[in-house]
Amino acid sequence: MSTVLSMMAYDYPKEKLSVYLSDDAGSELTFYALCEACKFAKHWIPFCNKFDVEPRSPNAFFYKSCHSSSSNLPISNEWSKMKDMYEEMINRINFVVAQGKVPQKLKQHQGFSKWTSDMIPRNHDAVIQILVDRDDENSVDNENILLPRVIYVAREKRHQHHHNFKAGSMNVLLRVSSQISNGPIILNVDCDMYSNNSQSIKDALCFFLDEKKGHEIGFVQYPQYYDNITKNDLYDNSLNVLSMIDLPGMDGFERPLYIGSGCFHRREALEGRKYSKGYIEDWNRGVDRTCASACVLEEKVKHLASCIYEHNTLWGKEIGLRYGCAAEDMLTGLAIHYKGWKSKYMDLERKAFLGVGPTTLEQNLLQRKRWSEGGLQIFLSKSSPLLFGHQKIKFGACMGYSIYNLWAANSFPTLTYLLIPPLFLLNNISLFPKVSSPWFIPFVLVFIAKHTYSLIESLYSGNTFKGWWNSQRMWLLVRITSYFYAIIDNILNYFGASKLAFTITAKVSDEEALKQYEQEVMDCSSTSSMFVIISTVALINLFCLFGEVMRMILNGEGRNDDALSIQVAFCGLVVAINVPIYEGLFLRKDKGRMPYSVTSTSLGIAMLVCILSMHGLSFA
């Protein structure tokens, strides 16, 4: 609801602003919460306008922002009153959620009549309700200023019909909004993000309204930043290098990615129109509402949110967000580019949007799996930018897209480097040049150059040195789990043994897990097979390094032979980067430690691999 309120409170003419909330679960609890938010908006929006409040999400403003509002004497009383009013709203909503249903006495809005006892999240009728209608004389705030239009949309869901996840939900919003407001520019924001800059809507419009180039722009993308990042970014959630270096680089080719949230779309581009040089946007477009009341309009558009509306149509193929890909946002942005539209990337000094990043390692790995799985799907499809896109967009943009499409392909080379050198080290077999050899110099130069460049990029992007070290760890863990699983899923999907699944990244953790995250202690409590892989690889490197050290001690020669020096150094580096994993396996006693089932399984596999490699390589 704070996300909705931050959208309603944009510094923009309210008669030109409509806010749609998509509730795929069709929950009357969400509908009740939205009703409460609309009531609170009558006080919140005038408060924001009067004191130029930033951010305009009440939750962020009262509890997260580092501002001096509470100590600002001219507004301290009103600040306290508004906070009390907001907390009262929270308490009312939480009370109803705890009950699991909306009490009859609170069902004051006529829209509650749409809910029946047999409605469940995956099987319910379409529900469309205009809660705040600008044609209604009561749709004003407490200063008698018009409020933005607010519409609740729950599309029809049936077990026998595929709903196409987020892309399907967005396409329903496209159709419904075309009949209610039909604004030429559409902003989509995920529910775990909020507007942090009330001016960002005007900044984005500057690109669309530019007299020389504005007609070419299909969408304007803002970066995704998070307000719950720890000092040293434990799980590399911020992706600062991507936001501050990679995407601005893509902007140089006028083809930055659509990344799913915080994006302003031109409606006609999103609806599948091809760009033409003579294109002129109709900025006065809208819907004639002189003869239609809200109730009539709600029923009129209901069929647009039905399960069967898209059957035998081009929706999801040529119109709207594209279906059939775990990274539907990237695929949709690419399709818009292929139709001739350009895009722009903009990163404001005051961040346009902030959200919530994953607070556990498992959440992070699942999110990266979906991203890399979708990227690889695109690369292997007819939309592949590297294979087919060079005829439609600049080659540099094709290369930029391919970096993300081929994330998953890094899995096998990384696993090879993490397993082969240590196992050969255990068997006293050299794979690299001796330190005394001239061929040793290229290895050292490449290693130093790569990591120095990576460190400079990271520090330039605002990370700390420890944050860079954490990103190196995540780089390793993600490649051997998320990317590996993404490849497996793509192979299974290709042979029809697996179906596309859109995994929603949970952003809610229990208090102890959240406390550990804030203290930058890695959460290893999952029993996922990903953690078995992580632990096994870490243990193999530890065993192999320990075996080499013991051999050096027993030989008593200090290893005069330098043939294994690179392997020893490499293995030691892998062990150092996995220290939090070893702590989770053996040292920690809290709930964030590695489960005993994972520890025992990983130990068994690691010892078996080491023993078999010793016998196998010795025999060879």
Side-chain angles (χ1 to χ4, degrees), residues 422 536-547 571 574-575 582 586:
T536 300
V537 171
L539 288 171
I540 288 174
N541 279 270
L542 181 64
F543 293 163
C544 293
L545 182 63
F546 179 76
C571 196
V574 174
V575 169
Y582 302 130
F586 305 119

Side-chain angles (χ1 to χ4, degrees), residues 264-557:
F264 287 84
H265 289 275
R266 187 186 298 273
R267 178 183 288 274
E268 292 199 344
L270 194 55
E271 289 181 346
R273 175 168 180 161
K274 288 185 178 181
Y275 170 73
S276 58
K277 290 185 178 181
Y279 171 78
I280 299 177
E281 178 65 70
D282 178 12
W283 294 108
N284 295 316
R285 68 162 64 205
V287 176
D288 183 8
R289 285 283 310 281
T290 55
C291 300
S293 66
C295 293
V296 172
L297 191 58
E298 290 164 358
E299 290 302 316
K300 179 183 176 182
V301 302
K302 191 175 179 180
H303 73 287
L304 299 175
S306 67
C307 290
I308 61 173
Y309 181 86
E310 295 180 353
H311 287 187
N312 300 317
T313 71
L314 293 176
W315 281 97
K317 300 174 184 177
E318 296 292 333
I319 303 174
L321 273 77
R322 302 310 195 257
Y323 298 155
C325 180
E328 79 295 317
D329 45 8
M330 184 186 295
L331 180 59
T332 300
L334 191 58
I336 291 173
H337 289 148
Y338 285 172
K339 288 182 179 293
W341 298 98
K342 298 178 180 179
S343 59
K344 296 301 294 182
Y345 175 79
M346 182 159 57
D347 190 1
L348 302 174
E349 183 175 353
R350 179 178 182 85
K351 307 308 179 187
F353 300 95
L354 291 176
V356 179
T359 55
T360 69
L361 179 56
E362 183 180 27
Q363 292 171 2
N364 194 292
L365 295 178
L366 287 173
Q367 185 177 66
R368 305 288 183 97
K369 174 183 174 293
R370 178 167 60 83
W371 292 348
S372 55
E373 181 180 352
L376 188 58
Q377 281 179 315
I378 294 171
F379 186 79
L380 298 176
S381 72
K382 294 180 180 179
S383 298
S384 174
L386 192 62
L387 301 179
F388 305 106
H390 60 275
Q391 299 174 352
K392 301 176 181 179
I393 59 177
K394 294 180 181 179
F395 184 70
C398 294
M399 295 290 287
Y401 264 105
S402 298
I403 289 174
Y404 308 107
N405 295 159
L406 292 172
W407 269 350
N410 289 290
S411 175
F412 290 124
T414 304
L415 279 168
T416 300
Y417 264 90
L418 291 175
L419 294 176
I420 301 302
L423 291 174
F424 275 65
L425 175 66
L426 184 65
N427 289 275
N428 201 30
I429 300 175
S430 175
L431 292 175
F432 302 103
K434 297 180 180 181
V435 175
S436 56
S437 169
W439 293 106
F440 174 75
I441 297 176
F443 280 88
V444 176
L445 289 179
V446 169
F447 181 86
I448 293 176
K450 187 269 178 188
H451 287 89
T452 300
Y453 182 79
S454 171
L455 176 60
I456 292 172
E457 264 192 339
S458 183
L459 295 177
Y460 170 81
S461 301
N463 297 328
T464 63
F465 177 82
K466 189 174 181 180
W468 170 78
W469 181 251
N470 288 336
S471 71
Q472 301 305 297
R473 180 186 302 111
M474 287 305 302
W475 171 87
L476 184 150
L477 300 184
V478 167
R479 287 188 174 200
I480 65 176
T481 56
S482 304
Y483 293 178
F484 178 69
Y485 276 48
I487 289 181
I488 299 301
D489 280 358
N490 267 281
I491 293 174
L492 293 176
N493 185 53
Y494 181 79
F495 289 104
S498 175
K499 293 183 179 180
L500 171 70
F502 187 96
T503 305
I504 298 176
T505 307
K507 303 292 180 68
V508 179
S509 305
D510 59 50
E511 290 187 9
E512 185 169 344
L514 190 58
K515 185 177 180 181
Q516 289 175 352
Y517 172 72
E518 292 171 348
Q519 295 173 346
E520 298 196 328
V521 177
M522 184 169 284
D523 178 41
C524 303
S525 60
S526 174
T527 57
S528 167
S529 55
M530 288 188 179
F531 284 72
V532 175
I533 296 175
I534 290 171
S535 303
T536 300
V537 171
L539 288 171
I540 288 174
N541 279 270
L542 181 64
F543 293 163
C544 293
L545 182 63
F546 179 76
E548 174 62 15
V549 171
M550 290 302 297
R551 185 161 50 234
M552 291 171 61
I553 295 174
L554 293 175
N555 288 347
E557 301 173 358

Side-chain angles (χ1 to χ4, degrees), residues 47 63 83 97 139 144 201 220 239 289 333 346 412 417 424 435 450 498 508 547 579 604 620:
F47 175 78
Y63 304 115
K83 184 180 180 184
V97 172
S139 299
N144 208 36
I201 189 171
V220 176
L239 299 176
R289 285 283 310 281
M346 182 159 57
F412 290 124
Y417 264 90
F424 275 65
V435 175
K450 187 269 178 188
S498 175
V508 179
V579 167

Side-chain angles (χ1 to χ4, degrees), residues 111-130:
F112 283 105
S113 62
K114 304 294 183 180
W115 273 267
T116 59
S117 58
D118 60 344
M119 291 178 66
I120 59 175
R122 293 185 62 83
N123 190 59
H124 60 78
D125 293 333
V127 179
I128 299 174
Q129 289 291 304
I130 303 176

